[in-house]
């Protein structure tokens, strides 16, 4: 045990808050660390399906029996930030928040520090304070087999710049890392790409060695606004392209996306209060340089079209990149190259390939009811089952869920179609999305259209704004062993008599109807949980095993209004997040975390589940397991 004592001494020096864990004695020989699972990106894969089919421990019966906290990291590093506001100059200490979703990787051989040589499963997280961490997901043997790497140990921590104070970010807080990083697990060494705001350098992208936390040679790479502007693929002859905004205006909330060949990193940007143009930037990771970009507005006089959804862009099986956009100025449907409230599809070089804009996008523009908060999910269906086998789904703040045919999005490559600010003049039956044959009473015309899920349905400006918005989440796909296809959505329905009050349903399951020779659509009658009240949920994920058996739906709720601060303010203390687990077959609530189980945070994020453990990131990382033996 002398080797184990040395390891604990090293932890005591380097990681004092976790040293107490070294006093634990493993009950007999420690088994090898788990292996074989990689959850390297937001919603688990490039298509953003949100479905993991390798979880055989946390099945509905086990989750219904309750979960307990297995370990919790200490509070992570905060940030000391100097800033100026209307009250004068300040220098405050801010606690960290994890907007970025945790990532998970088995079989990481640590290459630095006291645990060098050990093969460890790791949880990777990044914070608003501009720190990136690798934590041991489970107990693991040391390299010589005589000691223990305790679960929850911080294996490495790397700073990625000085955060910028942004007064418009959740009522004032530092901006460091908001968007979920991505890991190239097949690289040697495994490499994690992180976008971060820096007070001096602006936006930067880091490449970190997952085995040590070291910054890879040639990185970080500054995202130069002049370069981004010069390579814009949405330019018009004789029109000056828009300028890319800096970190105090632009938000990099969207998850990063790595191309299937691992050579191109896509980084998306929105802006606070629709005050600047959205951008999708492509980075050649082999040369650490921006190679092309696409602005959501070809003219600087028309801001908006932010690409800000937490899920980020998705890649379809044929290799196209898809992303939703936010609001554009009201009445701007005739502006060429202005792509607010649309789904855009690009080729690998960001050449625009297809577009979709909802029938009522004029009202979405005017009412801040954008599509941008719900990133797309791409998936395919057996072509023998439907005439539309290549599909994508996403939602909107309006609480509506869309299903579109990727082969026929229906839009122009020049500008959005005409629409009208009067809801009575825009017929949902003209919408190019896929919808069922039954009338939908919610629409003024009574015609079918994209499916209203979280209600009450309204096109009126203000009825869906900020605290009243009904959906800012990416749906999750599930193919159970029955052979059916389901999509799960999380949002906040409103009391029709008081739109500021949240009522069920807040979680719904939509069944895909696919019939030979006909287009696919969502069955209008959907299954919903009628008891859980979620105030600002993140994206659902689904876990199962062996081809869709024993599905569980997990949703992390910030448990706060959209306009509530996420860090303490005078007279205000943020509430702790709440984690919910639902039976995928019935949407019965299996379990919910208790008050105090989780810290504040988790905004728009989701959990990761691997080997019978749920990993949650808020102001720290917590791990939960089922009660008792499996």
């Amino acid at each position: 045990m002398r080797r184990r004592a040395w390891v604990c001494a090293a932890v005591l020096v380097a990681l004092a808050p976790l040293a107490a864990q070294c006093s634990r004695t493993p009950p007999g020989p420690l088994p090898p660390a788990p292996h074989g699972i990689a959850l390297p990106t937001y919603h688990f894969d490039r298509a953003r399906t949100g479905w993991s089919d390798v979880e055989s421990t946390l099945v509905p019966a086990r989750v219904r029996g309750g979960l307990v906290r297995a370990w919790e990291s200490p509070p992570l590093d905060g940030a000391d930030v100097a800033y100026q506001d209307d009250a004068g100059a300040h220098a405050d200490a801010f606690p960290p928040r994890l907007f970025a979703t945790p990532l998970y990787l088995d079989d990481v051989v640590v290459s630095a520090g006291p645990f060098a040589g050990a093969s460890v499963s790791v949880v990777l997280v990044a914070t608003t304070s501009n720190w990136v961490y690798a934590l041991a997901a489970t107990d693991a043997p040391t390299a010589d087999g005589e000691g223990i790497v305790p679960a929850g140990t911080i294996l490495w921590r790397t700073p990625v710049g000085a955060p910028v104070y942004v007064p418009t970010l959740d009522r004032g807080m530092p901006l460091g890392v908001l968007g979920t990083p991505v890991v190239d697990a097949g690289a040697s060494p495994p490499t994690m790409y992180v976008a971060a705001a820096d007070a001096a350098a602006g936006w930067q992208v880091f490449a970190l060695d997952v085995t040590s936390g070291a910054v890879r040679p040639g990185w970080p790479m500054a995202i130069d606004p002049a370069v981004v502007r010069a390579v814009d693929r949405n330019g018009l002859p004789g029109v000056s392209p828009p300028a890319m905004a800096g970190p105090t205006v632009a938000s990099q909330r969207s998850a990063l996306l790595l191309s299937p060949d691992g050579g191109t990193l896509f980084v998306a940007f929105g802006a606070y209060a629709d005050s600047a143009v959205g951008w999708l930037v492509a980075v050649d990771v082999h040369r650490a340089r921006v190679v092309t970009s696409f602005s959501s507005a070809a003219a600087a006089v028309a801001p908006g079209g932010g690409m800000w959804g937490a899920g980020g862009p998705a890649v379809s099986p044929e290799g196209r990149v898809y992303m939703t956009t936010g609001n554009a100025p009201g009445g701007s449907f005739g502006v060429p190259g202005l792509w607010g409230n649309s789904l855009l599809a690009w080729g690998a070089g960001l050449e625009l390939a297809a577009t979709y804009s909802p029938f009522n996008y004029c009202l979405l523009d005017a009412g801040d009811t954008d599509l941008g908060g719900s990133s797309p999910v791409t998936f395919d269906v057996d072509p023998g089952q439907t005439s539309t086998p290549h599909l994508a789904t996403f939602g909107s703040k309006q609480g509506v869920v869309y299903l579109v045919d990727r082969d026929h999005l229906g839009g122009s490559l020049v500008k959005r179609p005409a629409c009208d600010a009067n809801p009575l003049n825009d017929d949902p039956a003209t919408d190019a999305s896929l919808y069922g044959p039954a009338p939908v009473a919610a629409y003024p015309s009574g015609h079918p259209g994209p499916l209203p899920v979280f209600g009450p349905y309204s096109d009126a400006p203000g009825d869906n704004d900020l605290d009243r918005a009904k959906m800012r989440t990416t749906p999750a796909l599930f193919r159970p062993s029955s052979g059916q296809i389901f999509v799960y959505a999380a949002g906040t329905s409103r009391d029709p008599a008081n739109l500021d009050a949240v009522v069920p349903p807040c979680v719904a399951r939509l069944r895909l109807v696919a019939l030979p020779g006909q287009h696919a659509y969502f069955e209008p009658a959907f299954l919903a949980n009628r008891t859980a009240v979620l105030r600002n949920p993140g994206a659902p994920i689904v876990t199962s095993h062996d081809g869709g058996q024993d599905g569980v739906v997990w949703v992390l709720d910030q448990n706060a209004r959209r306009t509530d601060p996420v860090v303490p303010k005078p007279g205000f203390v943020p509430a702790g997040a709440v984690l919910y687990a639902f039976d995928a077959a019935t949407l019965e609530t299996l379990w919910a975390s208790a008050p105090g189980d989780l810290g504040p945070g988790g905004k728009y994020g989701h959990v990761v589940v691997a080997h019978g453990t749920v990993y949650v990131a808020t102001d720290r990382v917590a791990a939960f397991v089922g009660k008792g033996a499996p």
Side-chain angles (χ1 to χ4, degrees):
M1 297 299 293
R2 286 192 297 271
R3 167 68 176 173
R4 182 171 181 270
W6 179 87
V7 170
C8 287
V11 173
L12 181 64
V13 172
L15 304 167
L18 292 171
Q21 297 187 49
C22 290
S23 63
R24 292 187 295 111
T25 301
L30 192 68
H35 66 90
I37 293 180
L39 304 173
T41 190
Y42 188 100
H43 246 200
F44 306 152
D45 53 43
R46 294 181 177 92
R48 309 302 193 196
T49 64
W51 176 31
S52 171
D53 193 41
V54 292
E55 181 50 51
S56 59
T57 301
L58 290 178
V59 298
R62 182 78 188 279
V63 177
R64 189 180 289 111
L67 303 182
V68 294
R69 187 162 49 219
W71 57 263
E72 181 180 84
S73 75
L76 303 178
D77 294 271
D80 296 324
V81 178
Y83 62 97
Q84 182 90 25
D85 62 16
D86 293 342
H90 309 267
D92 291 339
F94 287 88
R97 293 292 182 264
L98 291 100
F99 285 54
T101 290
L103 306 176
Y104 180 94
L105 206 62
D106 283 334
D107 309 305
V108 173
V109 179
V110 181
S111 64
F115 301 116
S119 180
V120 183
S121 298
V122 300
V123 178
L124 299 160
V125 294
T127 73
T128 56
S129 306
N130 260 351
W131 285 87
V132 184
Y133 303 82
L135 296 93
T138 63
D139 288 347
T142 54
D144 61 6
E146 297 184 12
I148 181 174
V149 183
T153 298
I154 298 175
L155 301 169
W156 53 256
R157 50 195 281 274
T158 300
V160 288
V164 181
Y165 183 82
V166 179
T168 48
L169 174 58
D170 293 306
R171 296 175 61 180
M173 63 176 292
L175 169 61
V177 179
L178 293 186
T180 300
V182 64
V183 173
D184 186 349
S188 183
T191 301
M192 182 182 191
Y193 296 100
V194 184
D198 182 82
W203 290 107
Q204 300 184 101
V205 176
F206 286 76
L208 304 180
D209 180 342
V210 171
T211 70
S212 66
V215 179
R216 301 276 288 146
W219 300 83
M221 181 208 76
I223 298 183
D224 186 336
V227 173
V228 170
R229 190 179 192 185
V231 294
D232 182 15
R233 297 297 299 266
N234 193 31
L236 295 174
V239 177
S240 176
M244 182 181 180
T248 59
V249 175
S251 171
Q252 203 293 297
R253 189 186 296 274
S254 293
L256 306 188
L257 173 71
L258 196 62
S259 63
D261 65 3
T264 305
L265 181 72
F266 296 98
V267 189
F269 294 87
Y272 305 107
D274 302 320
S275 56
V277 168
W279 287 90
L280 185 59
V281 177
V283 175
D284 180 338
V285 299
H286 301 303
R287 294 181 290 170
R289 55 177 290 191
V290 172
V291 289
T292 190
S293 66
F294 190 95
S295 65
S296 58
V301 295
M307 304 185 201
W308 64 272
V315 171
S316 64
E318 71 273 13
R320 281 186 176 177
V321 178
Y322 290 79
M323 183 74 183
T324 53
T325 65
N327 305 308
S332 58
F333 66 82
V335 179
L338 177 59
W339 297 111
N341 274 316
S342 298
L343 174 71
L344 305 181
W346 299 273
L350 290 189
E351 63 278 6
L352 190 62
T355 72
Y356 162 79
S357 303
F359 74 97
N360 59 344
Y361 75 80
C362 280
L363 287 160
L364 305 187
D365 281 346
D368 187 20
T369 319
D370 51 305
L371 309 184
S374 183
S375 300
V377 175
T378 66
F379 63 103
D380 286 353
V381 182
D382 183 346
Q385 295 180 337
T386 175
S387 62
T388 55
H390 306 138
L391 301 170
T393 184
F394 52 95
S396 76
K397 288 183 186 175
Q398 197 178 16
V400 172
V401 177
Y402 300 83
L403 181 70
V404 296
D405 177 3
R406 299 199 313 270
D407 295 331
H408 302 94
L409 289 185
S412 162
L413 297 182
V414 177
K415 62 183 179 181
R416 299 183 292 177
C419 70
D420 197 303
N422 183 344
L424 297 178
N425 294 338
D426 286 323
D427 188 342
T430 65
D431 198 281
S433 63
L434 306 177
Y435 45 81
V440 178
Y443 292 118
S445 66
H447 285 298
L451 188 61
V453 175
F454 305 111
Y457 181 89
S458 175
D459 278 321
D463 283 357
N464 302 287
D465 192 12
L466 293 178
D467 284 334
R468 294 177 174 179
K470 303 181 184 80
M471 184 180 177
R472 295 185 178 93
T473 59
T474 300
L477 184 74
F478 181 43
R479 300 176 189 254
S481 52
S482 65
Q484 296 177 307
I485 298 176
F486 295 113
V487 166
Y488 294 82
T492 49
S493 292
R494 303 286 167 174
D495 182 345
N498 177 11
L499 294 177
D500 294 316
V502 179
V503 297
C506 296
V507 179
R509 187 191 74 180
L510 286 58
R511 185 176 76 90
L512 187 79
V513 179
L515 300 173
Q518 300 181 28
H519 73 255
Y521 61 92
F522 288 134
E523 189 174 52
F526 53 83
L527 181 69
N529 179 291
R530 300 293 176 179
T531 58
V533 175
L534 282 62
R535 301 181 67 194
N536 195 23
I541 64 162
V542 184
T543 58
S544 63
H545 65 94
D546 297 321
Q549 298 186 50
D550 295 317
V552 177
V553 180
W554 305 86
V555 182
L556 181 62
D557 181 27
Q558 184 194 352
N559 191 28
R561 298 181 306 167
R562 159 64 182 83
T563 56
D564 285 340
V566 299
V567 296
K569 297 287 182 179
F572 180 84
V573 177
V578 179
L579 174 61
Y580 292 86
F582 305 97
D583 188 320
T586 66
L587 281 190
E588 166 203 358
T589 303
L590 299 172
W591 175 82
S593 61
D597 277 353
L598 297 171
K603 187 173 182 179
Y604 304 147
H606 66 73
V607 301
V608 294
V609 184
H611 304 296
T613 304
V614 184
Y615 301 96
V616 192
T618 53
D619 63 337
R620 65 197 71 190
V621 180
F624 290 82
V625 296
K627 291 181 179 178

